[in-house]
Amino acid sequence: MIPWTIKQLEYMTADEERKFWRDFEQSLRNDSGDAARAHLKMGNPIYYSDVELPASIVREWPNGKREIVTIDTSGYVKVIKSL
């Protein structure tokens, strides 16, 4: 369980931050995909990386459409390529 949120990183001690990232990475390795499937079922796209597309962000829509995208610092999403 991760007792902190990522927004609280600036308030953590070095030991707390190391523990946060260790626990966070462990939770990612054990992810069942349930949250992503639920998000798609609600009609929302999901964003993820794909080992076959290094250094890319993939946006997947509920209908299965996939795109390589970039996201700027304001949150604007630009489609680079449809997959």
Side-chain angles (χ1 to χ4, degrees), residues 10-42:
E10 66 185 282
Y11 304 109
M12 292 181 196
T13 65
D15 286 340
E16 289 169 334
E17 187 174 343
R18 275 192 293 279
K19 182 177 180 345
F20 170 85
W21 286 115
R22 185 189 68 231
D23 293 350
F24 182 76
E25 290 170 0
Q26 180 67 28
S27 68
L28 290 176
R29 281 191 291 277
N30 295 323
D31 181 45
S32 66
D34 290 343
R37 282 188 291 279
H39 203 65
L40 288 167
K41 190 174 181 177
M42 290 186 297

Side-chain angles (χ1 to χ4, degrees), residues 8-78:
Q8 296 169 309
L9 279 172
E10 66 185 282
Y11 304 109
M12 292 181 196
T13 65
D15 286 340
E16 289 169 334
E17 187 174 343
R18 275 192 293 279
K19 182 177 180 345
F20 170 85
W21 286 115
R22 185 189 68 231
D23 293 350
F24 182 76
E25 290 170 0
Q26 180 67 28
S27 68
L28 290 176
R29 281 191 291 277
N30 295 323
D31 181 45
S32 66
D34 290 343
R37 282 188 291 279
H39 203 65
L40 288 167
K41 190 174 181 177
M42 290 186 297
N44 301 308
I46 58 172
Y47 297 81
Y48 56 89
S49 60
D50 184 322
V51 294
E52 295 185 18
L53 301 166
S56 297
I57 299 170
V58 177
R59 175 170 61 182
E60 183 175 332
W61 293 92
N63 66 2
K65 178 180 175 181
R66 294 178 357 130
E67 305 162 315
I68 295 176
V69 300
T70 60
I71 305 171
D72 70 17
T73 55
S74 68
Y76 176 76
V77 178
K78 179 181 177 182

